[in-house]
Each structure stands twice: as C-alpha cells, then as structure tokens.
C-alpha cells in the first residue's frame, strides 16, 4: 500500500523536538549509538548512501563524515543529543588552564590490532593540525598534542579555546593508528582510514565511487556490533535510492527526496530534524557578485517561502539565517544584519550558477533560483554535476554562485566553527570566497567568548555580520527523511548527521 503524507512537516517538527531532548544513554555519543552490542553475529546491512568518497578517502575533508556515519572512525570525544561533548576514545577530560586540556584515554584497539596509546593519539592530532587545507574543525585554531603518562594526552591551543572538547568530536579529527600514515610517516597529508580507525566497522574494500565493503571490528571497545558487516552502495540519484528501499534491495537508504517520500509506505520512513541549511553562496572575489550591490540584487530576487513550498513540499522551513530552527536557541538571539548595500539593477549581467545532484532536491532548488534571478534581470547559466566533480571548482571560485546544503553544526557542534570555516579570510570551506574585516573581527570575538549563552550571542552577532555582506542567501532549513526496512532496528538519525549505523543497528 502506498500512503500519501499530507503532514510530513508537522511530524518532522515533532521529531525535531524529540531529537534535541537529552538521551539517557547518549544517543549520538559514539558509533555505538548508546545501544549495547555484543549479540550474536547478525546479517550484514545493505546501505544506500548519497555521496561517494570525493577526496580519495582523506579523513580531513568531506569524506570524514562518510566514515563517521558508517561507524568506521571516532574522535577523542563525540556529541550527545544536546550538542555537548561526550566521552568517546577519551573517557574523561579536564581543563588545566586557559589553553591546556588533559584527556584520559580508555582502553581501545585500532582495527590493525595495535593499541590506542597516548603517543598514537598525540601523533594523529599532530598530523591533523598540520594538514593542508586544515580540517574544518580546526578553522582558525592552532593546537599541539603530546602524550602524558600511560593514559593521558595533553592538548594545548595557541589561544584559549573553551569548546575544545566539542571541537575534537569533529569527524575530520578522527584518531587513526600510525599505520595510516605509512612507514616513517611517508604520507602525512594523505593518511588512509582503511584498517586504521577505531570504530565498530572496518573498511575492507572500496570499489571506486560505486560501493564499499565493511566488516565488523571484533575488538571494538564499545562491544560487538550486531551486524556482521555493511555493504554500502553510493547512489547519488534520490529516486534510485527510494526505489531501492521500496523494492527491498537495501535495508537503509539515506536522504530520501521529499517528493519520493510521499510515494513510499509510511512504515519504511523515518524522519528527524537537522541543523542543515540550503544556501546560495555568491562569489565575492570575481565576477558580477564582487559588487555588493549586485549581491544585494540577488538577495532581493530570492523568494524563499515560494521555493520551500514548491520544492520541499512542506519538509523544510524558509531560510532565516545560517542557523535554522533545529538550532533551538538561534531565533530568539538572531541579530538583524546592518549596513547592507542597496540593490543594483542586474542589467542582464551573466552569471553561472552551480549545484550538485547527490542531494536530489538541489537541482530543483537551483532551477527555481535560476527563474527568480532571471526575473530580476540576470542571465543565468545552470551547471549541475556530481559533488566530487564539482567541489574543487567551487572552492576555486570558478562559479559566480553555488547552491549547497550545509549542516551548520557538523564540523564542531560549536556554532562559531562553521562561521570560521565558511566565511573568514582563512576559512577552509569558503565557497563565497569572502574576506571581510568586519566578519573576521566578529568571528574572532566569538571564538574568544566563554560561556554557553555568551558564545551563542557572539555567534549570532557574527552571523549578522556575514549576512550583512550578502555573500550568502539562506534558502531553506531542511529535515532528514530516511528509508528504513521494517526489519531493521537501531538506525541513528542524529541532527548533526554524523551517525547512521552503530553497534545496535541490526536486522
């Protein structure tokens, strides 16, 4: 039976609220997901993912989240359901002074059979700190790490960093064994997570961008996973993923398009809120959008509510800022941008707008944005590619405008993190190529701010500074819709999108 869903949005809002309620077992604190493993060896899980590896399995970039979602990698810490730091490879920590933290390690084993030692952990963090481009979790942060005794690691930052435990939960700061870097560290900038991570599942084979095979890591510190392994397929087409879960070809299919969700039986849909925002990034360094008045013209041309209604079918909210409603404190603290330029007349200015098709709604979003910009007087060429063939060109500024979907709390769990990585002069994921002194000052001030409430206030002031440049136009705040077989239990749909499969996931 096929069921039409007239109220997806209302159910998503309810689930968003539940997703942010504290979990008694630390729902998203590790790949184990808080569910106990150790049961008998169960069937392998068949998973359809939207994104293939895009960076040769580099643990420092976009691929890092892929490993985290499949339960391959872990950091010293993880995030709980409220976004606070929770134990992972470190069982505890304390702040020794403004710039120094000491982390006490639990007993654990790498997938290559070597022990997780203070020396190995310190070396892994040192490699990450030296990587170029820097991992997004370290945007604007300089750190050093050294072993301390039999079970401790001391991490020191160049400037005080009150959210370091949250930062170390970032997928791009996963801890890998010495073997990840080759003999004598011969590949420090290109370590491999294959067989060198600590999570409950180990990558054993990668078939290019088509599929990957993972087996259970039997010495995982969190207990045996129920599933004996994972057969992952990378299926960029959202309709194909929906068809795969409908026909039973896979057990789990992530990122089901809203339009396809309405055609699936309700029993195989799972939904949750997410801190992901779809935005229009404007190239501030070259082309027409180097002019602030032309960026203002693009902003005023966008009708976000109409876009949400037409594309997302109610499973999203109109763009309000970089941080959306799933960041529950953001709206009450939002600051109105000041000093925006007056919109110019586009006068037929020619621009190239790019997006990717791994997230099936984005090409349709781009088509609507293209129509709205054309109506305002721009001439718009649309370019759509698979993400792995698009990212390098986008970061190099080869497009005038770029539409992407970004989880604002993915990298660090700290709202300041995404602002530093995406909108500062030295940001590693600065698609808008923004370099603005006011923005950098606001982000720097937020980085230095202690106290949860005070840091949130500073983050919203920095958000206002970014929005004031019109380098980014928020379009929609999205929801997660996943297809899950009725035979599967324990799928992890966390709002930060770092987890999907854990020790308790089984069929």
């Amino acid at each position: 039976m096929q069921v039409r869903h007239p109220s997806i949005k209302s159910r998503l809002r309810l689930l968003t609220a539940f997703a942010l309620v504290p979990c008694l077992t630390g729902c998203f604190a590790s790949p184990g997901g808080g569910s106990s493993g150790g049961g008998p060896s169960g069937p392998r899980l068949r998973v359809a993912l939207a994104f293939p590896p895009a960076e040769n399995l580099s643990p420092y970039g976009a691929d890092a989240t892929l490993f985290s979602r499949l339960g391959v990698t872990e950091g010293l810490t993880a995030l709980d359901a409220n976004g606070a730091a929770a134990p992972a490879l470190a069982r505890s920590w304390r702040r020794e002074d403004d710039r120094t933290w000491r982390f006490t390690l639990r007993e654990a084993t790498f997938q290559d059979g070597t022990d997780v030692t203070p020396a190995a952990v310190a070396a892994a963090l040192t490699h990450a700190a030296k990587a170029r481009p820097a991992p997004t979790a370290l945007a604007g942060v300089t750190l050093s790490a050294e072993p301390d005794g039999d079970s401790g690691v001391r991490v020191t930052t160049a400037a005080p960093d009150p959210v370091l435990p949250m930062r170390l939960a970032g997928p791009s700061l996963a801890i890998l064994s010495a073997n990840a870097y080759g003999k004598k560290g011969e590949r420090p900038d290109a370590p491999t997570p294959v067989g060198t991570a600590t999570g409950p599942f180990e990558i054993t084979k990668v078939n290019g961008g088509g599929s990957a095979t993972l087996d259970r890591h039997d010495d995982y510190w969190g207990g045996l996973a129920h599933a004996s392994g994972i057969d992952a397929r990378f299926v960029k087409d959202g309709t194909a993923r929906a068809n795969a879960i409908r026909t039973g070809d896979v057990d789990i299919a992530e990122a089901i398009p809203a339009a396809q969700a309405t055609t699936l039986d309700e029993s195989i849909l799972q939904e949750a809120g997410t801190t992901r925002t779809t935005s229009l990034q404007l190239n501030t360094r070259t082309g027409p959008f180097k002019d602030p008045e032309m960026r203002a013209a693009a902003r005023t041309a966008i009708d976000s509510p109409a876009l949400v209604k037409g594309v997302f079918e109610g499973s999203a909210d109109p763009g309000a800022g970089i941080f959306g409603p799933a960041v529950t404190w953001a709206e009450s603290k939002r600051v109105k941008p000041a000093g925006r330029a007056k919109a110019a007349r586009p006068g037929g200015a020619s621009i190239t707008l790019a997006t990717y098709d791994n997230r099936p709604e984005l090409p349709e979003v781009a088509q609507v944005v293209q129509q709205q910009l054309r109506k305002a007087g721009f001439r718009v060429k649309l370019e759509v590619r698979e993400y792995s063939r698009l990212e390098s060109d986008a970061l190099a500024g080869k497009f005038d405008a770029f539409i992407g979907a970004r989880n604002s709390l993915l990298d660090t769990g700290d709202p300041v993190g995404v602002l530093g990585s995406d909108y500062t002069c030295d940001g590693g994921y600065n698609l808008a190529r923004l370099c603005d002194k006011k923005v950098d000052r606001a982000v720097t001030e937020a980085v230095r701010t202690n106290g949860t409430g005070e840091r949130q206030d500073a983050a919203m002031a920095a958000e206002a500074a970014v929005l004031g440049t019109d380098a980014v136009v928020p379009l929609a705040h999205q929801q997660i819709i996943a297809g899950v077989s009725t035979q599967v239990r324990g799928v992890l749909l966390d709002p930060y999108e770092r987890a999907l499969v854990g020790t308790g996931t089984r069929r």
Side-chain angles (χ1 to χ4, degrees):
M1 179 180 66
Q2 291 184 345
V3 180
R4 187 78 180 172
H5 298 275
S7 59
I8 287 179
K9 186 173 182 178
S10 61
R11 288 189 290 118
L12 289 172
R13 287 185 183 279
L14 180 62
L15 285 160
T16 296
F18 284 134
L20 296 175
V21 172
C23 292
L24 297 179
T25 55
C27 316
F28 309 118
S30 74
S35 300
S36 60
S41 181
R44 297 178 66 85
L45 294 168
R46 300 165 300 165
V47 180
L49 300 174
F51 290 86
E55 299 170 338
N56 296 318
L57 304 184
S58 169
Y60 299 141
D63 290 353
T65 305
L66 176 67
F67 309 139
S68 175
R69 290 172 65 74
L70 289 173
V72 174
T73 55
E74 301 173 294
L76 281 182
T77 60
L79 294 183
D80 67 15
N82 285 324
L89 289 175
R91 54 185 174 87
S92 64
W93 52 88
R94 69 173 186 269
R95 192 173 190 177
E96 296 185 332
D97 56 47
D98 283 351
R99 299 189 301 110
T100 306
W101 298 72
R102 186 185 189 278
F103 294 82
T104 301
L105 305 179
R106 67 173 74 251
E107 291 186 6
T109 304
F110 288 109
Q111 292 161 354
D112 59 13
T114 61
D115 291 335
V116 176
T117 63
V121 171
L125 291 177
T126 298
H127 281 297
K130 293 180 178 179
R132 294 295 178 269
T136 50
L138 292 181
V141 175
T142 301
L143 65 77
S144 60
E146 59 182 19
D148 182 46
D150 293 335
S151 62
V153 175
R154 181 170 283 105
V155 181
T156 302
T157 55
D161 187 5
V163 296
L164 183 67
M166 293 170 60
R167 190 181 304 282
L168 293 179
S172 59
L173 297 182
I175 302 302
L176 304 177
S177 75
N179 289 324
Y181 309 96
K183 295 179 180 179
K184 298 182 180 179
E186 60 192 5
R187 50 173 185 267
D189 295 325
T192 175
V194 177
T196 63
T198 61
F201 294 102
E202 173 186 355
I203 300 173
T204 55
K205 182 179 180 182
V206 177
N207 180 22
S211 63
T213 302
L214 296 84
D215 291 336
R216 184 170 67 179
H217 175 205
D218 289 344
D219 289 328
Y220 179 54
W221 62 265
L224 286 176
H226 282 277
S228 56
I230 300 172
D231 297 313
R233 293 161 49 188
F234 305 113
V235 184
K236 68 176 184 179
D237 183 80
T239 300
R241 290 196 301 277
N243 287 336
I245 191 67
R246 178 188 288 111
T247 59
D249 286 343
V250 299
D251 303 307
I252 304 167
E254 69 169 1
I256 299 296
Q260 291 296 319
T262 62
T263 71
L264 294 176
D265 192 293
E266 188 175 21
S267 65
I268 59 173
L269 287 177
Q270 292 191 20
E271 304 151 357
T274 173
T275 55
R276 179 171 297 277
T277 295
T278 296
S279 298
L280 173 66
Q281 308 279 345
L282 303 178
N283 186 341
T284 63
R285 198 169 301 177
T286 60
F289 294 129
K290 184 178 180 180
D291 182 351
E293 294 186 353
M294 293 293 279
R295 299 199 296 271
R299 168 178 53 83
T300 57
I302 299 301
D303 185 345
S304 179
L307 185 151
V308 166
K309 182 178 180 180
V311 176
F312 292 94
E313 303 191 18
S315 60
D317 292 284
I322 296 170
F323 306 105
V327 185
T328 53
W329 48 264
E331 190 57 40
S332 64
K333 293 175 176 284
R334 203 175 305 280
V335 179
K336 185 177 180 179
R340 277 176 160 163
K342 182 180 179 180
R345 292 183 180 274
S350 180
I351 62 172
T352 299
L353 170 64
T355 193
Y356 46 96
D357 55 9
N358 303 77
R359 295 194 175 276
E361 71 281 354
L362 293 186
E364 190 174 354
V365 168
Q367 289 174 2
V368 174
V369 170
Q370 180 186 38
Q371 293 168 5
Q372 293 179 351
L373 291 174
R374 281 177 172 172
K375 185 177 179 181
F378 290 96
R379 288 188 297 164
V380 186
K381 176 186 176 183
L382 180 59
E383 188 163 336
V384 179
R385 302 182 203 163
E386 197 274 331
Y387 183 81
S388 64
R389 297 191 296 111
L390 188 73
E391 183 188 59
S392 60
D393 283 349
L395 288 170
K398 293 186 178 181
F399 309 115
D400 299 302
F402 181 87
I403 293 176
R406 182 85 156 109
N407 192 315
S408 60
L409 298 183
L410 173 66
D411 297 319
T412 64
D414 172 34
V416 179
V418 72
L419 299 174
S421 66
D422 291 18
Y423 300 108
T424 61
C425 297
D426 295 327
Y429 197 69
N430 191 343
L431 294 169
R433 309 187 82 203
L434 180 64
C435 188
D436 182 275
K437 292 180 179 179
K438 291 182 179 179
V439 170
D440 275 26
R441 282 198 299 268
V443 173
T444 298
E445 180 62 28
V447 168
R448 294 172 177 170
T449 302
N450 293 318
T452 301
E454 293 83 354
R455 194 172 181 88
Q456 291 171 353
D457 291 337
M460 299 312 290
E463 181 201 61
V466 173
L467 295 176
T469 69
D470 286 328
V472 56
V473 182
L475 301 175
H477 304 295
Q478 296 180 236
Q479 308 284 352
I480 298 172
I481 307 176
V484 181
S485 166
T486 56
Q487 298 179 350
V488 172
R489 300 290 182 271
V491 172
L492 307 176
L493 297 183
D494 88 275
Y496 314 107
E497 300 183 86
R498 298 179 174 194
L500 181 66
V501 178
T503 56
T505 312
R506 62 193 182 278
R507 66 179 175 94

